[in-house]
């Protein structure tokens, strides 16, 4: 059912990295299941058959966009060097050092560009951002009681390793992987792409840690009913106050960068005219841009990678 439903959400796979991120979760859990959960041979057989049936079904039902994407991807890989992805990785990793990633924030968005305002540079929000890793540490003593703790632990460290990019302490390993396996270049902005899995890995540890702290505080106060308000307070601080941009509509720069883009009709007219011309020719588009980014001041504007290859 999930595979069939994913057909209607196929636009979510706008980048090959999204596919890799999604199946990395499923694949890692598949390996975890084989290693730690299976009890009998029939469990092993079922898990292997089930995983590959689901994977095959997903590939088949999404073949309408996977096949042309692979054709384009092969062409792009042929025209790129192994150093391209490494250079981008090193460039974007400036904003994702370890002390930033473990707090689930972004140096460029929060502290340099200040898309959500200067409030995130205040002492209160700086302290609040450390609540997530600190509270999660309180879950360590109860991990053995959680059946899937090994999976979430593995997912956490894999996601953390990728999200810190080329930074200390494991950046040199990721650079080596990029140079050895060019396909990994789809993750050249790994925190942006793979960071969602870090959030998923954090979730059970934060939940358990919140309960542990609630129990400790209620025990210290000798008020058993105090646990629920303490847990509620932590949840409110992290899931409401800390992520307030998600509640007021400014998440991902929503109030600054309108996510809805409308290309003016004259681009379509120009495209039709260009397509009607016979023979071989080249198009010189001005102004020339120094990088790969561009902002168009349309009514519903666009800011991002220069889009002419998609428009024309």
């Amino acid at each position: 059912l999930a595979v069939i439903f994913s057909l209607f959400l196929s636009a979510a796979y706008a980048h090959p990295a999204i596919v890799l991120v999604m199946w990395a979760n499923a694949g890692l859990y598949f390996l975890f299941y084989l290693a730690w959960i299976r009890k009998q041979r029939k469990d092993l057989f079922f898990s292997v058959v089930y995983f590959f049936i689901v994977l095959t079904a997903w590939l088949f039902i999404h073949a309408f966009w996977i096949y042309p994407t692979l054709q384009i991807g092969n062409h792009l890989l042929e025209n790129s060097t192994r150093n391209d992805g490494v250079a981008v990785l090193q460039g974007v990793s400036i904003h994702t050092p370890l002390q930033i990633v473990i707090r689930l924030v972004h140096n460029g968005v929060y502290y340099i560009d200040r898309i959500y305002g200067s409030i995130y540079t205040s002492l209160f929000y700086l302290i609040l951002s450390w609540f997530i890793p600190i509270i999660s540490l309180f879950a360590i003593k109860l991990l053995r009681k959680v059946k899937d703790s090994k999976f979430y632990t593995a997912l956490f460290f894999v996601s953390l390793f990728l999200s810190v990019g080329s930074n200390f302490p494991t950046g040199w390993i990721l650079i080596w992987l990029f140079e050895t396996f060019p396909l990994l270049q789809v993750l050249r902005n790994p925190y942006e792409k793979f960071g969602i899995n870090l959030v998923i890995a954090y979730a059970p540890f934060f939940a358990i840690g919140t309960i542990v702290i609630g129990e400790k505080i209620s025990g210290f106060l000798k008020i058993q009913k105090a646990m629920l308000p303490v847990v509620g307070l932590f949840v409110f601080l992290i899931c409401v106050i800390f992520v307030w941009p998600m509640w007021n509509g400014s998440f991902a720069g929503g109030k600054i960068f309108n996510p809805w883009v409308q290309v003016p009709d004259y681009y379509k007219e120009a495209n039709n005219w260009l397509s009607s011309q016979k023979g071989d020719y080249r198009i010189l588009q001005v102004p020339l841009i120094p990088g790969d980014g561009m902002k168009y001041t349309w009514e519903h504007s666009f800011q991002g990678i220069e889009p002419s290859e998609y428009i024309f």
Side-chain angles (χ1 to χ4, degrees):
L1 288 176
V3 169
I4 294 173
F5 191 71
S6 70
L7 173 65
F8 301 99
L9 301 174
S10 58
Y13 306 112
H15 193 283
I18 306 301
V19 178
L20 182 60
V21 168
M22 182 189 72
W23 282 102
N25 259 346
L28 189 62
Y29 188 82
F30 171 61
L31 296 176
F32 160 75
Y33 185 88
L34 295 181
W36 281 292
I37 292 185
R38 65 179 180 84
K39 301 297 183 182
Q40 301 177 359
R41 183 176 297 179
K42 66 177 183 179
D43 293 332
L44 175 63
F45 177 78
F46 170 80
S47 60
V48 172
V49 172
Y50 181 83
F51 179 81
F52 284 101
I53 285 178
V54 171
L55 176 59
T56 303
W58 185 87
L59 290 171
F60 177 78
I61 204 169
H62 290 279
F64 73 94
W65 64 263
I66 291 177
Y67 178 70
T69 301
L70 289 176
Q71 288 183 312
I72 297 173
N74 290 333
H75 173 72
L76 292 176
L77 285 176
E78 290 173 358
N79 290 278
S80 64
T81 66
R82 294 189 177 187
N83 294 327
D84 291 340
V86 175
V88 175
L89 172 68
Q90 292 173 323
V92 299
S93 294
I94 297 174
H95 298 303
T96 59
L98 179 62
Q99 69 273 18
I100 289 290
V101 171
I102 61 174
R103 293 185 287 140
L104 299 180
V105 294
H106 188 283
N107 193 40
V109 172
Y110 283 79
Y111 305 126
I112 297 178
D113 296 334
R114 297 187 180 185
I115 289 180
Y116 305 132
S118 60
I119 190 171
Y120 278 94
T121 62
S122 66
L123 180 61
F124 171 74
Y125 272 89
L126 288 174
I127 295 174
L128 193 58
S129 68
W130 282 102
F131 274 31
I132 296 174
I134 291 174
I135 290 175
S136 298
L137 287 175
F138 281 86
I140 291 179
K141 73 172 187 177
L142 294 181
L143 287 182
R144 294 181 180 179
K145 297 182 181 180
V146 180
K147 183 178 68 173
D148 293 339
S149 61
K150 292 184 176 65
F151 162 70
Y152 284 106
T153 302
L155 179 63
F156 175 83
F157 283 108
V158 169
S159 303
L160 186 63
F161 162 70
L162 290 171
S163 296
V164 297
S166 61
N167 292 306
F168 177 84
T170 57
W172 63 274
I173 302 177
L174 189 59
I175 291 175
W176 176 81
L177 289 173
F178 268 51
E179 294 174 341
T180 307
F181 305 101
L183 186 61
L184 289 176
Q185 291 189 16
V186 298
L187 291 174
R188 56 190 179 181
N189 192 346
Y191 187 40
E192 179 185 285
K193 304 295 191 301
F194 213 88
I196 184 64
N197 283 346
L198 185 61
V199 178
I200 294 173
Y202 251 130
F205 301 135
F206 178 79
I208 295 171
T210 302
I211 295 174
V212 170
I213 293 177
E215 290 177 343
K216 288 182 178 295
I217 293 178
S218 62
F220 176 77
L221 297 176
K222 297 181 180 180
I223 303 176
Q224 187 174 3
K225 292 183 179 181
M227 176 182 167
L228 187 58
V230 171
V231 171
L233 175 63
F234 282 128
V235 172
F236 178 76
L237 287 173
I238 297 300
C239 298
V240 178
I241 301 300
F242 186 61
V243 292
W244 185 247
M246 296 190 68
W247 295 96
N248 69 0
S250 62
F251 176 68
K255 291 185 177 180
I256 302 174
F257 309 115
N258 192 332
W260 300 105
V261 177
Q262 183 176 1
V263 180
D265 291 337
Y266 50 77
Y267 278 88
K268 183 176 182 180
E269 295 173 3
N271 183 60
N272 292 336
W273 183 85
L274 290 168
S275 299
S276 68
Q277 305 306 301
K278 307 299 181 182
D280 295 329
Y281 58 91
R282 296 178 181 270
I283 300 174
L284 176 63
Q285 185 171 334
V286 292
L288 301 178
I289 58 175
D292 60 359
M294 175 66 76
K295 181 175 183 179
Y296 286 84
T297 56
W298 305 326
E299 179 181 358
H300 300 286
S301 63
F302 167 82
Q303 179 171 344
I305 300 298
E306 206 288 314
S308 60
E309 63 178 304
Y310 305 105
I311 296 176
F312 300 117

